[in-house]
Amino acid sequence: MTTTLQAPKVRKLADASRVEFGPLAFYHPLVADGDTPVRTGIQTSAPGYVAPMHWHPYIELLFIIEGEAEVWLQGGETQPIHLDAGDCVALPADVPHSFRTVGDKPIAPARHPFESRPGRELSRPQSDASGYPVLDGELEPVTATART
């Protein structure tokens, strides 16, 4: 992986692939092909979506483009941090966290991990080579081994 970007790298949302995260969410990877030290993309999550508790080996930034969300670290489920459109939160590396859509409108967080390594879910679904969850015919994650 190249750690020094030598020229501007432009990715357009209209040209990005769509990765399904189950029936209530999908992700458009923008800069996420492993040739930069960061990856970013936009996830759209419908009302009722709750991300599985997961962690990353890097700091993750969630910037809420539209809608409202709540985010929490493991153990803080009863006191989530409320985020509105325009808000950003930095989540610490290697600390389990989750987020959910609040209200009746979808959220669109831009996700900005600082290193291009995939996240891990506590009830870890299988991942493909890009780090995205493998889904079954019902668009449900195929479970692999949990973190110990």
Side-chain angles (χ1 to χ4, degrees), residues 39 52 54-62 91-97 99 111 113-115 117-121 147:
R39 70 187 279 138
H54 64 284
W55 75 97
H56 309 276
Y58 46 74
I59 295 170
E60 180 180 28
L61 294 177
L62 292 178
L91 300 168
D94 297 313
V95 175
H97 60 273
F99 66 91
R111 299 172 64 200
F114 274 90
E115 295 179 42
R117 292 182 278 176
R120 302 175 204 126
E121 294 177 7
R147 178 182 181 183

Side-chain angles (χ1 to χ4, degrees), residues 16-36:
S17 62
R18 178 175 162 145
V19 179
E20 299 293 332
F21 284 176
L24 294 179
F26 57 89
Y27 182 68
H28 291 286
L30 295 172
V31 176
D33 50 15
D35 66 345
T36 64

Side-chain angles (χ1 to χ4, degrees), residues 121 123-127 133-137 139-145:
E121 294 177 7
S123 57
R124 178 74 175 134
Q126 293 179 12
S127 297
V134 174
L135 303 178
D136 65 17
L139 294 180
E140 293 295 323
V142 176
T143 304
T145 310

Side-chain angles (χ1 to χ4, degrees), residues 25-109:
F26 57 89
Y27 182 68
H28 291 286
L30 295 172
V31 176
D33 50 15
D35 66 345
T36 64
V38 297
R39 70 187 279 138
T40 189
I42 297 174
Q43 179 174 332
T44 301
S45 304
Y49 178 77
V50 180
M53 186 66 66
H54 64 284
W55 75 97
H56 309 276
Y58 46 74
I59 295 170
E60 180 180 28
L61 294 177
L62 292 178
F63 178 79
I64 306 301
I65 298 169
E66 59 186 41
E68 296 177 61
E70 290 180 335
V71 63
W72 60 94
L73 301 179
Q74 188 173 40
E77 294 86 350
T78 61
Q79 297 179 322
I81 300 164
H82 186 88
L83 302 170
D84 292 309
D87 292 346
C88 181
V89 63
L91 300 168
D94 297 313
V95 175
H97 60 273
S98 183
F99 66 91
R100 68 175 155 240
T101 303
V102 174
D104 59 358
K105 294 191 291 189
I107 60 168

